[in-house]
Amino acid sequence: MEASRGNVQKAEQRAGMKKTEKTNKKRSKQDEEEEEEEDQLFNLNNKSLEEDEDLSDSEESVYSGLEDSGSDPDEEEEEGEDGGSDDDDEDEEDEQDQNEKSTVKKSKKKEGGDEEKEVKKEDEYDHDTSDEEDIRNTVGNIPMEWYKDFPHVGYDLDGKKIFKPIRNKDELDDFLDKMENPDYWKTVHDKKTASDIVLSEEQIELVNRLQKGQFGDVNFNEYEPTVEFFSNDVMIHPVTNRPADKRSFIPSLIEKEKVSKLVHAIKMGWIKPRRVQDDSRGRFYDLWANEDSSILAKHKMHLPAPKIPLPGHEESYNPPPEFMFTDEEKALWEQQDPSDRKLPFIPKKYPSLRQVPAFSRFIHERFERCLDLYLCPRQRKMRVNVNPEDLIPKLPKPKDLQPFPTTQALVYRGHSGLVRSISVSPSGQWLVSGSDDGSVRLWEVCSSRCLKTVQVGGAVKSVAWNPNPSLCLVAVTVDSAVLILSPALADKQVISASERLLSAQQEEGPSEGPQPVVWSEMEGEELNQGIRLKIQHPKPVHQVTWHSKGDYLASVMPDHSSHMQVFIHQLSRRRSQNPFRRNKGLVQAVSFHPIRPYFFVATQRSVRIYNLVKQEMTKKLQANSKWISSIAVHSGGDHVICGSYDCRLSWFDLDLSTKPYKMLRHHKKAVRSVAYHRGYPLFASASDDGSVIVCHGTVYNDLLQNPLIVPVKVLRGHVITHDLGVLDVTFHPTQPWVFSSGADATIRLFT
Amino acid sequence: MGGIQKKKYERGSATNYITRNRARKKLMLSLPDFRRLCILKGIYPHEPKHKKKVNKGSTAPRTFYLLKDIRFLLHEPIVSKFREYKIFVRKLRRAYGKTEWSAVERLKENKPAYKLDHIVKERYPTFIDALRDIDDALCMCFLFSTFARTGKCHVQTIQLCRRLTVEWMNYVIASRALRKVFLSIKGIYYQAEVMGQLITWLVPYQFSHDHPTDVDYRVMATFTELYTTLLGFVNFRLYQSLNLVYPPKLDSKAESELKEVEEEDYAMNSESHTEKLSALSSSLARVVSSEEEEEAKLDQFPDEEEDMEKMEAREKEQKQLETQKKIFEGLKFFINREVPRESLAFVIRCFGGQVSWDKSVCIGSTYDVTDETITHQIVDRPNVDKQYMNRYYIQPQWVYDCVNTKMRLPVEDYFLGVTLPPHLSPFVEEKEGDYVPPEKLKIMALQRGEKPAQQQDEEEDEEEEEEEEEDENEEEEDDEEEAEEKNLKKMEEQRSQGKSLQVKVTPGKVKAENRARLEQEEKAEEKRLAIMMMKKKEKYLYDKIMFGKKRQVREANKLAAKRKAHDDAEKAKKKKARK
């Protein structure tokens, strides 16, 4: 209600007093604040009067509501209206209050007479413009259908019924009315009072205007020029003339509290004064103006980060064509794990610089570098810049160590199986060889002629020529027998001496009891071939070896379980004996000491040396290898070499230690056989890799000087057959020659 | 026995190391702060020799720092700054949460800041130390200066990086310190010699970056923080050493010239200064007006003969360097717009050339395309519409190759639309046995002052043919020998088998014994025997070295074979084309 009135007022004022307009507007704009109202209460009385003039204006205006004008037609209505006037009083009072309130907002204009106001007052009760509700009917804002069945439509202020008009209009009446009544189009049925109202000309005009969306007031000019309330012109008078508040004189408590809080905070150091803008950051000066070395001492342990490796040709945008990946390389690169890749990128070629794109992993690489810098442990690695030539030991030139065999001179062909063993006669003129084809052949060394072939009827494991130059006998092992052969390849004296030796024992009677070894004389065909004696063993014999005097010979029957592995036979007395009572391991090879009564027995891992006279073990040599294959004793008897199946050759000095003085790993495969030269400081080893390696081994009389052990020649010639290369090697007794027999059924002489 | 019982891990290496977590707790820092501290102070983990001992018996993977290092960090003033910053952040968050905007503002004004000057001084006690370690700083700053000014890091950092890199480049130009340039697929490598230190840095090509997600930019930013400080101080010192004004200013002469030309085109005066600096087209202002500095000549001390040789070599090198510095002296370049301007301008100016570009490309162009005195125009497109008679139109690679070969290469290979010769890395120094690309051989020949390339090509062809013939000859000889041997063998077999021996005496051929060969063989055998006598340890080492060498040879051979195949294919193609 107030809002509408406000509107009206505005229009009014504009039409009327322009001078007060400014203040008015301001008022209407401002929301009334309670305090202000209270303040201004004291001048309410006089002011309310003045303002009423305005109100009256508004009532005068054309925009006065439909109900007001509709009051004329019906008498009953008038009744109600009369009745309504009473309660309008109260209403009016309310309104008065409101008006008073509104006056507060208004400027203090002093015009306006009291009389005028009184006149208006009466009018006011007649035409109530309130659109709150129709006060002539007190039923309130309810659907009027509820009174459809009643004679009345409600109650007036006195509680009396307001009756409907007696005659209800039916359709026909309505129609007739429509046809006949010229005012029908401007007749409106009021449901509340159940009466028809005929609108006046002004009201119709108003309706039309509203429908067009125009202002209700005809006189209102909506296009008046605006007048700025606040302009840039300085006015003489203040906008408000209100006296200053009291609180503007006295200090604010709230502010005091706030200030004291801040002061406290500053005192306590919670708030720091604003820092002076420090622009020294990013300003550079000569940092190293005075370089003192004192700090340097701290940095002794500091390792500077290694620099990034510099790029090679392959990183160029236009690399030489050979640096480009082929398809296979590319595929390989893609398959590989990023950490395995040789290059972290694929080389690419662009025909011109403008076609080079951005490198997609640039930031990654920089980031990885950063990580390396602060996450990687650094370590100083001493890079040994070794010249590989320096690593090679300086050896005396082989030329200075001559003589030694260098070239293959002769090949002895004739055997059809692999030649297991060879032996040279003490004179150095004859060579005997035993082969798997069941034959023993005797060769002339110089001409490579085969003088004699003896068929022994079994694979020959070992042959040994009697080292005594005054005898001419050969021991041969066939299966479990040792045959003594008399090749008769010497002058008569020697032959007769050996005959004597073979026949001398006949005087000896057979020994008592069953012997493990049986001696028997050969007869007939075999005797014709030169086989004189047969020493039958209980088990297959693997090796036979002579004592240097030529009377004793030892045979080896490797066996895990029994103590009968080695027999020593005496040819002159046809006697055999087993020197060991206990099994100390699988015997691989045996050898007599050339000078002293010692006996060498090589088991799998070690070599035992027995004193035959005292009948005790004097030494045990550790060969440091897995499986000894062969053993050879130097003619002086001080040095022993052992070949082993794990490619090693160990060189012992019996005076020094039981450990090998030197281990030689020259061969790629198992060492089958080793041999010492009788005269020269040479030894040779034969291996399955098809080579014979000749080494020079000198021991000086001066004990302070280390023995010199130097390989001087690698001799090749044998063909590897069935994974076997050279099976036996032996030196010529006088010449620096070496014989070797191989799995390719040949015997070769290297001179 | 008595005595106090010894406890495990209370002495020895266990007490010298500290795990990362314990170090962090000791310093009372969060992990990111600890990381930042380690980056700034250059502390890195150490790998103990006996990890299990240090790890108190456990074999869990841990990173160890030296306890000494961590103790050293304890006294670092920056640690307290980190704590302050942490508190600041907490307070700020609280103020935000309470919407106390005045408090927020007040806090922001008092944001703690720290300087890294003392750390730089501490880490690099002498200027040379700093120079030695400046590679990474340069790479990082060049990378950051190419970042877009969005998101990934502070704009100020990017601007600072840009400023510092421009200063650096200007210094390198002023001191003519650039030595090598390499266009790789990653970017452009530059190598400069500053105060006797070789400094290499990599600049990415001018493209916007595709920022990867698996990169921690905080780590990079921390590094950049340190590096910018370092680079700033280094720049200052370097400028001082050349009597240049720092922060750099353009030469007054050059500046006035530039002003005349371009004042209208570029309105923002404040920005135009840095832009002009980064254009790299004009020289810098000096503190003392520069008269050409007398070059310190090497004094000669003719003491010993060996020294004389060395001296001569050094002198020769010096001379070469001098000529290299003046490769482009007197040349006037014009850079087309499709060519990377900054890099080329930098390189050309480093070697005494004059350079300019189109006005619309960048500020700081000194002359126009129409200038008659231009000698070389650098173009990277198939053809140019309007060509001037008196200048060469060359592709950019020419400039870089000239720098690397230290001489002006013939321009014919680099004309427009010509297939360029391969661009070789100047950083590779081939040792004996390494693969040397034929292009490099050619260049080396040119450097020695031999004939131009084409004739050589022909010669090479001839040589190749000759070589082939020789090879054939050798093969024939070999064949003969083999045949002889075979014959001998056959005879031997026949003899041995005792079949009807063809008793026949054939006149023997006198085998010319090749003395040298025999000797060689002998030596080889001696060596083989000596190798057999090596100790196990040495043998292992020797085998390893030899394996590496063999692999090298194999790789070189592979490359050579690839090249040969490629060349053959090319030849075949050419022949076909001719037919």
Side-chain angles (χ1 to χ4, degrees):
Chain A
M1 187 164 83
E2 232 165 35
S4 69
R5 181 167 296 158
N7 265 343
V8 173
Q9 278 169 4
K10 244 187 260 166
E12 180 60 26
Q13 282 153 6
R14 282 205 185 116
M17 315 138 291
K18 279 194 179 166
K19 219 188 171 185
T20 54
E21 218 162 29
K22 286 174 193 171
T23 50
N24 272 338
K25 257 196 178 169
K26 193 186 173 191
R27 282 295 143 203
S28 63
K29 272 177 195 166
Q30 275 176 355
D31 291 334
E32 312 92 317
E33 287 156 26
E34 300 289 331
E35 343 157 46
E36 271 183 49
E37 265 179 41
E38 285 163 3
D39 285 342
Q40 284 178 339
L41 273 181
F42 61 94
N43 50 7
L44 235 189
N45 292 334
N46 21 6
K47 274 184 189 166
S48 64
L49 305 181
E50 296 152 27
E51 137 310 293
D52 273 355
E53 173 241 13
D54 288 348
L55 272 184
S56 65
D57 281 347
S58 76
E59 251 67 87
E60 271 168 7
S61 72
V62 185
Y63 181 65
S64 48
L66 294 175
E67 289 90 350
D68 308 12
S69 55
S71 54
D72 13 358
D74 288 318
E75 289 151 41
E76 285 138 277
E77 227 11 63
E78 245 155 13
E79 237 185 13
E81 219 171 292
D82 290 357
S85 64
D86 290 28
D87 72 23
D88 270 7
D89 283 331
E90 292 166 18
D91 236 19
E92 199 271 337
E93 275 167 18
D94 287 354
E95 212 146 278
Q96 181 85 8
D97 280 346
Q98 284 167 357
N99 285 340
E100 276 167 8
K101 274 177 195 166
S102 67
T103 49
V104 172
K105 309 168 233 165
K106 284 190 182 135
S107 66
K108 296 133 194 177
K109 40 170 187 172
K110 300 295 178 193
E111 320 106 325
D114 288 1
E115 328 86 64
E116 225 183 337
K117 184 201 87 195
E118 250 123 64
V119 175
K120 297 283 140 67
K121 245 187 179 173
E122 284 154 31
D123 282 349
E124 242 177 86
Y125 296 115
D126 288 341
H127 309 284
D128 190 356
T129 55
S130 85
D131 35 347
E132 270 182 349
E133 63 180 298
D134 192 0
I135 43 168
R136 278 162 297 183
N137 191 348
T138 58
V139 289
N141 192 13
I142 53 158
M144 294 312 286
E145 290 96 70
W146 293 351
Y147 285 96
K148 201 166 51 181
D149 304 330
F150 296 101
H152 62 280
V153 290
Y155 308 90
D156 61 11
L157 284 170
D158 299 330
K160 285 171 191 165
K161 283 179 180 168
I162 303 173
F163 287 97
K164 287 177 186 168
I166 303 149
R167 200 170 65 91
N168 270 345
K169 276 184 184 170
D170 57 0
E171 294 290 310
L172 194 62
D173 287 331
D174 207 27
F175 180 71
L176 286 175
D177 213 16
K178 198 177 177 179
M179 289 291 107
E180 288 162 6
N181 191 357
D183 291 338
Y184 179 78
W185 61 275
K186 52 179 178 180
T187 317
V188 176
H189 181 74
D190 184 11
K191 274 184 183 167
K192 275 269 167 80
T193 50
S195 59
D196 286 344
I197 303 160
V198 177
L199 299 181
S200 68
E201 282 301 314
E202 287 144 356
Q203 283 168 334
I204 288 167
E205 177 71 8
L206 181 66
V207 168
N208 280 340
R209 286 178 69 81
L210 288 177
Q211 273 176 342
K212 280 179 200 164
Q214 291 167 333
F215 275 93
D217 192 354
V218 189
N219 300 323
F220 179 66
N221 179 12
E222 42 193 308
Y223 302 112
E224 256 182 307
T226 55
V227 179
E228 295 294 332
F229 184 75
F230 292 110
S231 67
N232 53 352
D233 306 325
V234 180
M235 297 292 177
I236 315 158
H237 304 288
V239 179
T240 63
N241 205 10
R242 217 180 62 190
D245 301 326
K246 185 190 175 186
R247 61 164 186 255
S248 64
F249 300 116
I250 53 172
S252 160
L253 274 176
I254 300 166
E255 279 175 9
K256 189 184 164 192
E257 201 178 330
K258 277 185 181 167
V259 167
S260 66
K261 257 188 190 170
L262 285 176
V263 167
H264 182 65
I266 289 170
K267 263 187 199 165
M268 299 301 287
W270 298 331
I271 297 179
K272 286 193 188 78
R274 185 176 303 161
R275 236 195 7 216
V276 185
Q277 203 60 44
D278 186 15
D279 60 346
S280 63
R281 199 162 175 263
R283 177 165 295 174
F284 302 113
Y285 51 90
D286 193 356
L287 189 69
W288 293 279
N290 44 350
E291 291 175 353
D292 53 340
S293 51
S294 62
I295 314 176
L296 277 174
K298 273 190 211 166
H299 287 255
K300 258 182 209 162
M301 291 300 292
H302 180 80
L303 307 179
K307 296 196 170 185
I308 293 183
L310 291 169
H313 296 311
E314 59 279 347
E315 205 180 313
S316 166
Y317 87 102
N318 183 14
E322 61 268 31
F323 288 98
M324 301 296 294
F325 277 174
T326 58
D327 292 339
E328 300 141 34
E329 280 169 328
K330 205 173 186 178
L332 182 72
W333 189 90
E334 272 155 10
Q335 270 182 2
Q336 270 172 336
D337 192 68
S339 56
D340 295 342
R341 287 172 184 163
K342 225 176 192 183
L343 286 177
F345 54 87
I346 300 178
K348 273 180 189 149
K349 192 173 186 123
Y350 300 98
S352 67
L353 187 58
R354 70 168 188 283
Q355 279 159 326
V356 182
F359 186 61
S360 58
R361 286 191 55 78
F362 195 92
I363 296 179
H364 271 288
E365 287 196 349
R366 203 96 282 290
F367 179 61
E368 274 156 22
R369 170 71 179 168
C370 286
L371 291 187
D372 283 352
L373 283 179
Y374 88 99
L375 282 182
C376 274
R378 291 180 204 164
Q379 219 164 24
R380 194 161 296 197
K381 261 210 175 137
M382 301 309 282
R383 198 188 201 106
V384 197
N385 218 345
V386 183
N387 184 6
E389 299 303 320
D390 295 347
L391 288 175
I392 300 172
K394 291 278 170 288
L395 299 179
K397 282 200 171 174
K399 259 188 190 171
D400 306 341
L401 302 174
Q402 272 169 346
F404 55 83
T406 52
T407 46
Q408 179 181 320
L410 288 173
V411 182
Y412 303 84
R413 292 179 200 277
H415 282 294
S416 55
L418 38 96
V419 186
R420 288 260 182 211
S421 178
I422 49 174
S423 185
V424 191
S425 73
S427 60
Q429 202 179 354
W430 315 108
L431 175 71
V432 65
S433 66
S435 159
D436 269 8
D437 60 1
S439 68
V440 173
R441 280 170 189 259
L442 291 156
W443 314 80
E444 191 182 20
V445 168
C446 308
S447 61
S448 81
R449 208 150 59 89
C450 180
L451 289 179
K452 217 180 202 182
T453 309
V454 182
Q455 296 293 342
V456 291
V460 180
K461 284 273 160 60
S462 172
V463 292
W465 205 295
N466 194 325
N468 190 347
S470 59
L471 292 172
C472 180
L473 292 173
V474 174
V476 177
T477 62
V478 182
D479 293 333
S480 56
V482 174
L483 308 176
I484 305 295
L485 221 75
S486 174
L489 292 170
D491 50 18
K492 269 183 185 166
Q493 263 190 331
V494 173
I495 293 173
S496 60
S498 49
E499 280 302 319
R500 239 179 289 133
L501 183 69
L502 287 175
S503 53
Q505 358 62 24
Q506 280 173 336
E507 302 148 17
E508 185 101 350
S511 56
E512 67 284 351
Q515 288 282 324
V517 176
V518 180
W519 292 69
S520 55
E521 299 237 351
M522 302 305 289
E523 289 161 354
E525 175 62 22
E526 285 165 334
L527 189 63
N528 288 344
Q529 279 189 328
I531 304 172
R532 305 295 301 273
L533 280 176
K534 183 180 183 184
I535 309 167
Q536 189 68 40
H537 288 69
K539 267 169 269 173
V541 183
H542 273 230
Q543 195 214 355
V544 62
T545 182
W546 288 93
H547 185 254
S548 55
K549 293 263 175 62
D551 194 18
Y552 290 95
L553 77 158
S555 59
V556 179
M557 303 169 284
D559 187 3
H560 277 297
S561 49
S562 92
H563 64 280
M564 289 201 297
Q565 295 195 73
V566 179
F567 276 100
I568 297 180
H569 313 283
Q570 191 181 13
L571 206 59
S572 54
R573 298 167 77 183
R574 294 202 181 180
R575 216 174 58 178
S576 305
Q577 66 174 18
N578 176 15
F580 306 117
R581 237 171 269 149
R582 214 168 276 161
N583 175 14
K584 287 280 177 61
L586 201 61
V587 176
Q588 298 297 312
V590 294
S591 175
F592 286 101
H593 192 284
I595 305 162
R596 288 190 209 147
Y598 287 133
F599 190 57
F600 296 83
V601 178
T603 54
Q604 265 187 34
R605 299 281 189 106
S606 57
V607 178
R608 288 155 206 274
I609 305 169
Y610 295 94
N611 190 335
L612 290 176
V613 176
K614 289 183 183 171
Q615 300 205 336
E616 64 183 15
M617 192 177 85
T618 51
K619 235 173 215 174
K620 187 181 171 193
L621 307 176
Q622 292 295 342
N624 284 0
S625 53
K626 295 277 156 52
W627 198 311
I628 292 171
S629 64
S630 53
I631 180 174
V633 185
H634 185 246
S635 56
D638 289 337
H639 315 302
V640 175
I641 48 174
C642 282
S644 73
Y645 289 113
D646 49 351
C647 325
R648 290 160 203 232
L649 188 144
S650 28
W651 191 93
F652 295 94
D653 190 329
L654 295 183
D655 297 338
L656 281 177
S657 156
T658 56
K659 298 266 164 59
Y661 175 78
K662 197 119 193 176
M663 298 287 288
L664 306 174
R665 292 177 201 80
H666 298 164
H667 287 287
K668 299 274 178 335
K669 280 185 178 169
V671 177
R672 286 271 165 188
S673 162
V674 290
Y676 253 118
H677 197 282
R678 246 190 241 173
Y680 294 105
L682 293 175
F683 60 88
S685 57
S687 157
D688 272 348
D689 60 5
S691 69
V692 174
I693 295 179
V694 182
C695 296
H696 179 94
T698 326
V699 180
Y700 301 98
N701 287 334
D702 179 9
L703 286 176
L704 290 176
Q705 203 166 1
N706 287 332
L708 175 75
I709 297 172
V710 179
V712 285
K713 189 70 189 172
V714 181
L715 299 167
R716 285 173 205 285
H718 284 284
V719 184
I720 297 167
T721 40
H722 310 298
D723 282 340
L724 293 173
V726 188
L727 296 176
D728 198 7
V729 65
T730 182
F731 274 101
H732 191 275
T734 50
Q735 297 292 329
W737 296 349
V738 69
F739 299 90
S740 66
S741 71
D744 56 349
T746 60
I747 303 158
R748 284 161 202 255
L749 168 65
F750 299 93
T751 57
Chain B
M1 306 279 226
I4 298 165
Q5 197 182 5
K6 274 182 197 169
K7 279 183 186 169
K8 247 182 172 181
Y9 311 124
E10 282 192 349
R11 63 181 71 202
S13 57
T15 51
N16 292 338
Y17 292 93
I18 186 169
T19 64
R20 190 187 63 175
N21 230 14
R22 278 183 52 213
R24 201 177 59 69
K25 273 179 190 154
K26 186 161 190 166
L27 291 168
M28 290 192 286
L29 285 174
S30 65
L31 190 56
D33 275 346
F34 178 70
R35 189 187 298 148
R36 204 183 309 155
L37 188 67
C38 284
I39 290 171
L40 293 178
K41 295 283 284 181
I43 302 292
Y44 47 85
H46 283 256
E47 192 81 5
K49 256 185 191 166
H50 301 284
K51 218 167 176 189
K52 209 173 164 189
K53 268 185 199 168
V54 173
N55 216 349
K56 309 208 167 154
S58 144
T59 50
R62 288 204 179 97
T63 36
F64 292 99
Y65 288 85
L66 276 184
L67 191 63
K68 258 187 195 171
D69 285 351
I70 300 302
R71 285 222 190 95
F72 169 62
L73 287 182
L74 270 177
H75 304 293
E76 177 54 43
I78 233 168
V79 175
S80 64
K81 293 280 183 189
F82 284 161
R83 295 202 193 106
E84 254 173 53
Y85 194 81
K86 201 174 74 181
I87 293 163
F88 160 74
V89 167
R90 204 168 55 207
K91 277 184 181 167
L92 196 69
R93 197 180 298 138
R94 183 182 147 99
Y96 265 116
K98 287 189 159 188
T99 63
E100 290 171 348
W101 306 120
S102 61
V104 166
E105 219 157 85
R106 198 189 64 231
L107 283 170
K108 271 187 177 170
E109 270 163 8
N110 272 338
K111 184 178 176 182
Y114 55 88
K115 287 202 283 187
L116 300 175
D117 306 5
H118 65 284
I119 290 184
V120 170
K121 172 86 180 175
E122 190 186 75
R123 282 185 67 170
Y124 308 105
T126 62
F127 181 58
I128 293 299
D129 289 335
L131 268 184
R132 239 177 245 156
D133 219 10
I134 207 149
D135 286 21
D136 286 312
L138 280 171
C139 287
M140 194 62 122
C141 285
F142 270 103
L143 171 65
F144 264 65
S145 65
T146 58
F147 278 176
R149 297 185 159 94
T150 46
K152 289 296 171 200
C153 61
H154 294 298
V155 179
Q156 288 93 328
T157 317
I158 295 170
Q159 278 169 344
L160 182 63
C161 284
R162 176 70 187 155
R163 195 191 107 193
L164 291 171
T165 52
V166 165
E167 281 170 13
W168 171 262
M169 286 199 285
N170 271 315
Y171 166 77
V172 172
I173 289 173
S175 63
R176 301 232 173 143
L178 195 67
R179 294 287 173 271
K180 288 168 181 175
V181 194
F182 178 49
L183 299 168
S184 82
I185 50 173
K186 292 181 185 172
I188 305 175
Y189 285 89
Y190 299 96
Q191 190 171 57
E193 192 180 347
V194 180
M195 306 205 159
Q197 300 294 326
L198 279 179
I199 293 164
T200 318
W201 71 95
L202 171 63
V203 182
Y205 289 115
Q206 289 281 339
F207 290 104
S208 64
H209 292 283
D210 189 12
H211 285 286
T213 48
D214 50 346
V215 163
D216 190 354
Y217 277 90
R218 286 178 303 173
V219 171
M220 302 247 282
T222 316
F223 269 104
T224 313
E225 207 176 356
L226 177 75
Y227 285 156
T228 49
T229 323
L230 170 65
L231 190 56
F233 285 120
V234 168
N235 277 349
F236 185 92
R237 175 82 178 221
L238 289 174
Y239 272 69
Q240 213 184 25
S241 70
L242 280 191
N243 278 337
L244 293 168
V245 180
Y246 189 91
K249 271 179 199 153
L250 292 179
D251 210 356
S252 55
K253 216 194 321 172
E255 196 162 22
S256 62
E257 275 171 27
L258 276 183
K259 246 181 201 170
E260 278 171 32
V261 186
E262 279 158 1
E263 206 58 2
E264 313 90 51
D265 300 347
Y266 298 93
M268 295 270 279
N269 234 339
S270 57
E271 277 184 17
S272 76
H273 176 67
T274 52
E275 290 291 310
K276 272 179 207 161
L277 262 183
S278 60
L280 305 172
S281 66
S282 43
S283 50
L284 301 177
R286 285 173 189 269
V287 178
V288 187
S289 58
S290 62
E291 296 159 23
E292 270 305 309
E293 284 169 37
E294 287 170 33
E295 275 154 22
K297 274 198 174 177
L298 277 179
D299 291 335
Q300 290 189 351
F301 302 101
D303 284 343
E304 291 160 38
E305 285 183 15
E306 287 177 354
D307 273 11
M308 279 294 285
E309 278 175 21
K310 273 184 196 171
M311 199 67 107
E312 272 171 26
R314 218 183 299 160
E315 245 171 66
K316 202 178 167 189
E317 224 168 71
Q318 194 75 14
K319 238 180 218 173
Q320 218 177 9
L321 224 157
E322 285 307 313
T323 50
Q324 194 203 359
K325 277 181 184 174
K326 289 172 185 167
I327 290 180
F328 297 142
E329 209 118 282
L331 299 187
K332 249 182 149 180
F333 288 87
F334 188 84
I335 299 177
N336 253 29
R337 59 174 62 250
E338 71 274 6
V339 180
R341 186 199 65 80
E342 193 175 286
S343 162
L344 274 169
F346 174 58
V347 172
I348 291 168
R349 292 258 298 126
C350 272
F351 294 96
Q354 276 180 292
V355 69
S356 179
W357 44 85
D358 198 87
K359 228 189 274 174
S360 56
V361 174
C362 182
I363 198 170
S365 75
T366 44
Y367 45 85
D368 223 11
V369 209
T370 52
D371 195 335
E372 289 291 315
T373 56
I374 291 173
T375 55
H376 292 77
Q377 185 164 350
I378 303 171
V379 183
D380 197 4
R381 53 175 89 176
N383 52 2
V384 176
D385 293 339
K386 196 188 172 191
Q387 292 201 357
Y388 291 82
M389 279 297 288
N390 56 349
R391 65 178 76 157
Y392 294 121
Y393 287 83
I394 46 164
Q395 301 197 36
Q397 197 190 318
W398 183 77
V399 175
Y400 299 107
D401 280 355
C402 283
V403 169
N404 291 339
T405 53
K406 302 177 184 175
M407 60 185 291
R408 275 187 220 168
L409 289 172
V411 281
E412 289 84 20
D413 297 342
Y414 298 89
F415 278 156
L416 289 194
V418 171
T419 349
L420 290 167
H423 180 61
L424 298 172
S425 166
F427 302 115
V428 180
E429 272 160 21
E430 277 93 356
K431 277 172 268 162
E432 209 184 305
D434 284 353
Y435 174 72
V436 186
E439 286 82 9
K440 181 130 187 178
L441 290 176
K442 236 180 255 178
I443 286 169
M444 271 149 65
L446 268 179
Q447 276 171 333
R448 267 178 269 129
E450 283 169 20
K451 294 153 257 168
Q454 274 198 336
Q455 290 179 3
Q456 225 174 7
D457 261 349
E458 284 167 22
E459 270 177 31
E460 269 179 22
D461 286 351
E462 279 169 25
E463 272 173 29
E464 274 174 25
E465 278 165 26
E466 276 173 26
E467 273 174 27
E468 276 169 26
E469 277 172 24
E470 276 175 26
D471 285 348
E472 278 167 21
N473 286 345
E474 275 178 25
E475 277 170 26
E476 277 169 26
E477 278 173 25
D478 288 346
D479 285 349
E480 276 174 24
E481 278 177 25
E482 276 176 28
E484 248 174 68
E485 272 179 29
K486 268 184 190 172
N487 275 346
L488 273 177
K489 263 192 185 173
K490 253 186 202 170
M491 281 169 71
E492 217 173 67
E493 274 173 28
Q494 282 170 347
R495 226 184 286 161
S496 64
Q497 279 158 9
K499 283 175 194 171
S500 56
L501 266 174
Q502 298 169 328
V503 186
K504 191 173 150 197
V505 180
T506 44
K509 277 180 196 169
V510 179
K511 244 194 201 174
E513 278 200 357
N514 195 345
R515 275 258 174 102
R517 200 168 175 181
L518 269 178
E519 236 168 71
Q520 262 188 0
E521 271 176 17
E522 211 165 276
K523 268 194 182 166
E525 188 167 0
E526 265 176 45
K527 200 177 161 190
R528 235 179 293 138
L529 291 174
I531 287 168
M532 285 200 315
M533 279 308 283
M534 267 181 166
K535 279 174 196 158
K536 202 174 174 187
K537 234 181 188 174
E538 284 171 352
K539 184 86 187 290
Y540 175 74
L541 186 60
Y542 180 82
D543 281 349
K544 243 182 152 180
I545 294 172
M546 291 323 269
F547 177 76
K549 277 194 172 174
K550 267 180 201 161
R551 190 176 49 194
Q552 246 175 359
V553 170
R554 218 184 316 136
E555 262 160 31
N557 287 343
K558 198 177 157 196
L559 281 176
K562 249 169 135 183
R563 176 66 182 219
K564 204 182 171 199
H566 180 264
D567 283 354
D568 287 351
E570 288 288 299
K571 255 186 204 169
K573 250 186 212 172
K574 259 188 202 170
K575 269 184 191 170
K576 261 187 191 173
R578 263 184 225 165
K579 277 168 192 172

